[in-house]
Amino acid sequence: MTLHGPECLPGGRVRFSVWAPRANEVVLALEDGRRISLAARKYGYHSVVVSEAGPGTLYRYLLDGKGPYPDPASRSQPSGVEGPSCVVDLPKPSCTSWRGIPLSSYVICEIHVGTFSDRSSFAAIEDELEWLSKAGYSAIELMPVGEFPGSRNWGYDGVFPFAAQSTYGGPYGLASLVAAAHQRSIAVVLDVVYNHIGPESSALEHYGPYLSGSYSTPWGQPPNLDGPGSDAVRAFFIENACYWVKEVGVDGLRLDAVHAIIDPTASPFLSELSRTIHALGRHLGRIVTVVGESSANDPLLSKPVEAGGTGLDGQWNDDFHHAAHVAVTNDRSRWFADYDGLADLAKAVRHGFVMEGRYSIPRGRRHGLPSPTPPGDSLVIFAQNHDQIGNAGLGNRLTSIVDLQAQFPLAALLLLSPFVPLRFMGEEYGETAPFAYFTSHTDPDLIRAVRQGRAAEVGSDSELQLLENLDRSAWLTAMLDPQDPSTFTRCIPDRSLSSSGVHSELLKWQRDLCRLRQSLPCLGSLEPARTQTAIDPNIGAITIRRAAEPYLDAVEVVIVCVLSPKEAVISSPLIAGNDLVVLLCHGAGGLTQGAVLPGRELQLGPWGVAVLEASSRGDRR
């Protein structure tokens, strides 16, 4: 039985349930004028079964005569955050054969629904699923879609966790997208926010202590996970996670900023959520994954509970991004000050975390925890994502900061790594549009605070170099106003770029890399412990050698990259003594696919990359 929100029953009946411990009387206020009292249950719950209130019924609640207020667990807010809630009855999944794919098979495209195209809708993504599949993606990850004020937001200011954003197409649009993705064997991951509730237009506090009065976050009030009434609050958010998986059909959840989830209890919320979701997946006969975003570099997050961990399937690893950024830009500002370019990039490729108890300059303390090399499918890595682009200040992608040719070796390092790769929408063809922070708040004080907060963000050295004048006034002029609608529209990618020039070459490059990742066991088995690296800082070269268990395949693959605008001759112990077959190459002079060359040294042009098979074709099984 649903504890939070409406549940459609046979015969056109609906059970309305709400947790409202602050109210002695809860009255269901239907838009047709009916007023129906809910029966008080244990622990502050109230419920009633109503006839003739099926899908599409609009309603709110009166609390001790005050209101009416939208349902905290509303499944749909068709008129926005201030309007009535709406009863929803989603269709059963149409792709009954879909059971999901393991996290190790994910190649993820992170998508912001609003700026994916000028249509700003789930339907627009659904129309491009075939394109995304042909680009090599096996999974899409949607930034948060819980109803937020207005129509322009990253999604992290959501105030109705169960209600898919109405301007995107609401719950039916999202369910349709998920079903269509499964028809094309694409997994769908949803970014969910359990560390805070958005700062504007939340109805939660009218009903009960959903939010903590003891803690705070920079983004909004956190949920009450340890105070009086916290059992029901935990149930609210865990039921939300189950709703996305069971009713909407998503294959995984990305938990936003889990390091900011405040829970000092002996039964951690994250472990409880993970156990529940995994049990639900087993019950449904589907593979369902839970991945956390964390800046803590804590390997325990993705270890099983029985091994002393939190029980998540994986976590994001910022270290790969930071080391790669330093390697291609030589930017040492802000958090990049902790990273030694190529050396740390090599460590990120073969081991995962770089900061493992090392002193962090911007933090002024040690950061991370030493650990053995983790399983490859326990870390999600990226060269760009929404945070690293949008929170840098100007919202510039790497394509606006370094030579577009740098995307070739970066793509190879990412997509042929022994970890789970994620790319931000448009990265597959070198999109140049920015991804800045944008909002459509209505509270003047909040608008002012957001503008001031973003203006205080100091960009990286590589971004500041784009300005003709490095003084404060130039910085503020270059900043995009989050509240200005033009900031939002500037962030919409131009997918037509992918049909010509270098952008077209980049798209084909990703497709070819993904094909290799899928076809060769040494690339698809995600075994960082069987990965070797070598670097030459003098020429900006990094060499990676990937191997699988011998019983899977004797073939090994060597990836040689130049992360520099200069030509380089690479002589590495990882290519010495082998006859190498060229599988893929870019900027490699006279090299051609299929060529056999002696394994002594390799000459590559600026930003060149070669992917080589370390055996003759005759030896391939």
Side-chain angles (χ1 to χ4, degrees):
M1 185 179 78
T2 300
L3 289 175
H4 303 269
E7 179 182 9
C8 290
L9 304 173
R13 299 174 303 145
V14 175
R15 178 187 292 112
F16 292 88
S17 302
V18 65
W19 186 63
R22 288 181 176 159
N24 294 314
E25 182 185 37
V26 178
V27 174
L28 176 67
L30 297 170
E31 288 294 292
D32 63 10
R34 285 183 287 170
R35 299 291 184 266
I36 303 169
S37 293
L38 278 68
R41 311 295 183 186
K42 294 172 65 175
Y43 309 120
Y45 286 97
H46 301 255
S47 66
V48 67
V49 176
V50 179
S51 300
E52 299 179 6
T57 298
L58 300 176
Y59 71 98
R60 297 187 234 211
Y61 289 116
L62 291 163
L63 307 176
D64 293 332
K66 296 179 181 178
Y69 305 111
D71 185 350
S74 169
R75 270 43 172 184
S76 176
Q77 289 295 119
S79 299
V81 295
E82 302 292 348
S85 301
C86 184
V87 176
V88 167
D89 189 15
L90 294 175
K92 299 300 180 185
S94 58
C95 187
T96 56
S97 62
W98 175 258
R99 292 293 178 263
I101 57 176
L103 192 55
S104 59
S105 296
Y106 278 26
V107 175
I108 307 170
C109 179
E110 186 188 24
I111 292 174
H112 179 267
V113 179
T115 55
F116 180 78
S117 80
D118 56 9
R119 292 165 58 194
S120 300
S121 67
F122 298 124
I125 302 172
E126 185 174 334
D127 289 345
E128 297 295 340
L129 286 172
E130 190 67 25
W131 191 94
L132 290 165
S133 177
K134 289 181 178 178
Y137 293 116
S138 60
I140 58 174
E141 180 170 307
L142 307 180
M143 290 174 64
V145 300
E147 190 79 28
F148 52 76
S151 60
R152 305 183 308 277
N153 198 285
W154 275 16
Y156 300 95
D157 292 323
V159 291
F160 287 94
F162 288 82
Q165 178 68 16
S166 55
T167 59
Y168 291 167
Y172 293 102
L174 177 57
S176 176
L177 168 60
V178 172
H182 292 168
Q183 292 284 356
R184 291 164 177 80
S185 300
I186 297 175
V188 181
V189 178
L190 184 61
D191 193 342
V192 291
V193 185
Y194 297 145
N195 53 53
H196 76 284
I197 289 292
E200 183 180 9
S201 300
S202 171
L204 292 178
E205 282 299 277
H206 295 300
Y207 290 84
Y210 284 82
L211 305 179
S212 173
S214 303
Y215 312 111
S216 62
T217 77
W219 318 294
Q221 280 185 274
N224 167 27
L225 299 178
D226 67 335
S230 58
D231 288 347
V233 176
R234 287 168 173 256
F236 176 85
F237 286 104
I238 289 174
E239 191 170 307
N240 172 252
C242 292
Y243 168 75
W244 296 123
V245 172
K246 183 180 180 182
E247 304 300 329
V248 179
V250 304
D251 303 284
L253 301 172
R254 181 262 195 191
L255 311 181
D256 177 61
V258 296
H259 56 273
I261 293 178
I262 306 168
D263 175 19
T265 66
S267 178
F269 168 76
L270 286 176
S271 295
E272 187 178 350
L273 183 149
S274 182
R275 283 196 306 270
T276 304
I277 292 298
H278 289 144
L280 176 61
R282 290 191 296 270
H283 173 73
L284 297 173
R286 290 168 42 202
I287 300 172
V288 182
T289 60
V290 183
V291 173
E293 181 214 7
S294 174
S295 63
N297 281 29
D298 183 358
L300 295 178
L301 265 179
S302 46
K303 282 190 175 181
V305 173
E306 55 269 23
T310 303
L312 304 187
D313 295 291
Q315 59 181 303
W316 278 27
N317 178 17
D318 285 342
D319 284 354
F320 180 94
H321 167 271
H322 295 347
H325 181 92
V326 172
V328 299
T329 67
N330 201 32
D331 181 357
R332 302 303 177 105
S333 61
R334 302 186 300 168
W335 51 80
F336 299 127
D338 287 336
Y339 295 86
D340 180 14
L342 281 178
D344 284 341
L345 180 56
K347 181 178 180 182
V349 167
R350 71 175 182 272
H351 180 70
F353 288 129
V354 173
M355 301 295 290
E356 297 184 292
R358 202 162 81 183
Y359 183 80
S360 168
I361 296 170
R363 293 177 178 89
R365 58 167 173 79
R366 291 172 296 168
H367 182 63
L369 182 68
S371 66
T373 301
D377 60 357
S378 69
L379 293 179
V380 176
I381 63 170
F382 33 83
Q384 298 182 79
N385 64 41
H386 75 274
D387 266 331
Q388 304 303 342
I389 300 169
N391 286 331
L394 301 180
N396 284 312
R397 296 175 183 247
L398 271 177
T399 48
S400 298
I401 297 171
V402 297
D403 193 321
L404 189 59
Q405 294 291 330
Q407 294 301 313
F408 287 94
L410 283 175
L413 288 170
L414 180 75
L415 294 169
L416 302 185
S417 78
F419 299 102
V420 179
L422 175 146
R423 309 201 85 188
F424 189 63
M425 59 181 192
E427 191 177 354
E428 64 276 355
Y429 60 84
E431 177 59 57
T432 57
F435 188 75
Y437 188 72
F438 43 78
T439 58
S440 52
H441 292 306
T442 59
D443 181 346
D445 291 336
L446 180 59
I447 292 171
R448 188 179 308 110
V450 169
R451 282 173 171 156
Q452 291 173 348
R454 300 309 293 188
E457 288 282 342
V458 177
S460 62
D461 284 349
S462 51
E463 278 201 319
L464 289 170
Q465 289 169 6
L466 299 175
L467 303 178
E468 295 180 1
N469 184 350
L470 299 186
D471 65 19
R472 182 67 177 169
S473 61
W475 171 249
L476 292 175
T477 300
M479 285 288 292
L480 299 177
D481 178 6
Q483 193 70 12
D484 188 335
S486 68
T487 296
F488 175 86
T489 56
R490 286 180 63 177
C491 296
I492 297 173
D494 179 7
R495 206 160 285 108
S496 69
L497 289 174
S498 66
S499 62
S500 62
V502 178
H503 298 284
S504 176
E505 293 175 27
L506 276 169
L507 180 57
K508 183 180 184 302
W509 181 247
Q510 168 160 312
R511 289 170 176 163
D512 291 341
L513 292 171
C514 289
R515 175 180 51 79
L516 285 183
R517 183 183 180 92
Q518 187 175 33
S519 63
L520 295 178
C522 66
L523 297 177
S525 59
L526 304 195
E527 297 183 77
R530 294 181 177 276
T531 300
Q532 303 174 71
T533 61
I535 63 170
D536 186 339
N538 294 322
I539 57 175
I542 179 170
T543 304
I544 301 162
R545 188 165 183 137
R546 298 284 314 279
E549 288 276 7
Y551 73 88
L552 288 175
D553 199 346
V555 170
E556 298 185 357
V557 169
V558 179
I559 305 107
V560 186
C561 299
V562 175
L563 299 179
S564 163
K566 298 178 181 179
E567 293 185 355
V569 176
I570 299 96
S571 178
S572 168
L574 300 185
I575 60 176
N578 291 280
D579 285 335
L580 304 174
V581 178
V582 179
L583 298 175
L584 291 174
C585 59
H586 179 81
L591 287 185
T592 57
Q593 188 172 342
V596 179
L597 59 156
R600 290 188 295 275
E601 62 181 29
L602 190 61
Q603 184 169 350
L604 294 174
W607 308 110
V609 54
V611 182
L612 312 166
E613 181 184 294
S615 66
S616 68
R617 292 196 180 277
D619 291 337
R620 178 179 286 191
R621 298 180 180 179

